[in-house]
Amino acid sequence: MLCALLLCCGTSACSTNDPLRIESPALPTTPAAQSSAPSINDERAWEQPFSPAQVRQVLLATDLDAVSTRENSEADIREYLTECDKCLVALPAYETAGEKFQIYSVSTAGDAYSFASFAIRDAKGTPEVALAVGGSDVYLSAGKEGSLVAQEAVYKPDDPMCCPSGWSVRMFRYQDGQFIQGDSFASPVDPAEDQGTEQ
């Protein structure tokens, strides 16, 4: 009886009147974690005014040679657009000067490796490609001061697909109804080598 009383007193001294709260494990801060899959409502918002099917038709009618690379030819990109519904991915929209642009990437289905990214404008009710970029794991996203940023992975020959050695960034400004490329820069492929050149 004494043991039971002591146990009750000990546990009540540590308790609070607050309800039990379950903590979620901390999410990693990697870019992949930050760009986690959107909810269905988010996807519907991103897919306005044009659905992926409408954008796919416009892309298939576009000269895709400008976004082709040695690794991914125009024929490869067309094959992904034609054969793989999940390979055309809607990303967060970009707005500037009162105009909204939908952002879409063409990616591999298995590992979401993007090799082309597009800004789509509403041209009097019809989707139109306003900007197209191609490259290695390339994405378009809103940047600072109204810019649209193309970020591309830089791989050394021995880099695994998960882990590029650096990043290349191109910034675009929307001016007089078109995107103009501005600044571009690259993070060092090997930070140690970059520091060594500064000394």
Side-chain angles (χ1 to χ4, degrees):
M1 179 73 171
L2 181 59
C3 288
L5 184 59
L6 288 174
L7 182 60
C8 286
C9 290
T11 56
S12 65
C14 296
S15 68
T16 67
N17 291 331
D18 295 332
L20 179 64
R21 186 175 68 192
I22 309 250
E23 297 285 346
S24 299
L27 293 174
T29 57
T30 61
Q34 292 172 355
S35 60
S36 58
S39 70
I40 291 173
N41 289 336
D42 288 340
E43 285 182 5
R44 288 185 182 143
W46 295 351
E47 293 173 1
Q48 296 297 325
F50 305 114
S51 69
Q54 291 172 296
V55 172
R56 179 178 287 106
Q57 291 305 313
V58 168
L59 295 181
L60 286 171
T62 300
D63 179 8
L64 297 172
D65 196 46
V67 295
S68 65
T69 63
R70 190 174 51 218
E71 294 80 18
N72 296 288
S73 68
E74 181 178 10
D76 294 332
I77 298 170
R78 287 189 183 283
E79 183 178 350
Y80 276 101
L81 285 169
T82 304
E83 304 294 332
C84 176
D85 285 344
K86 294 182 179 179
C87 294
L88 184 61
V89 180
L91 299 173
Y94 162 79
E95 293 187 34
T96 186
E99 193 169 353
K100 175 184 174 180
F101 296 86
Q102 290 177 264
I103 307 297
Y104 278 87
S105 280
V106 181
S107 306
T108 56
D111 53 11
Y113 174 88
S114 172
F115 43 83
S117 198
F118 303 89
I120 307 295
R121 67 157 51 101
D122 184 345
K124 298 180 179 177
T126 303
E128 179 182 85
V129 177
L131 179 63
V133 296
S136 299
D137 209 11
V138 63
Y139 291 93
L140 284 171
S141 61
K144 293 181 179 178
E145 299 175 357
S147 64
L148 186 60
V149 176
Q151 180 174 295
E152 180 182 355
V154 176
Y155 290 92
K156 284 184 172 181
D158 56 347
D159 283 345
M161 291 301 291
C162 70
C163 311
S165 293
W167 296 93
S168 170
V169 174
R170 289 172 281 166
M171 298 179 71
F172 296 88
R173 298 273 181 202
Y174 191 62
Q175 182 178 330
D176 299 326
Q178 61 183 342
F179 284 100
I180 308 295
Q181 184 170 335
D183 295 337
S184 62
F185 57 91
S187 66
V189 173
D190 187 341
E193 287 179 8
D194 189 66
Q195 290 171 1
T197 60
E198 292 178 356
Q199 296 177 351

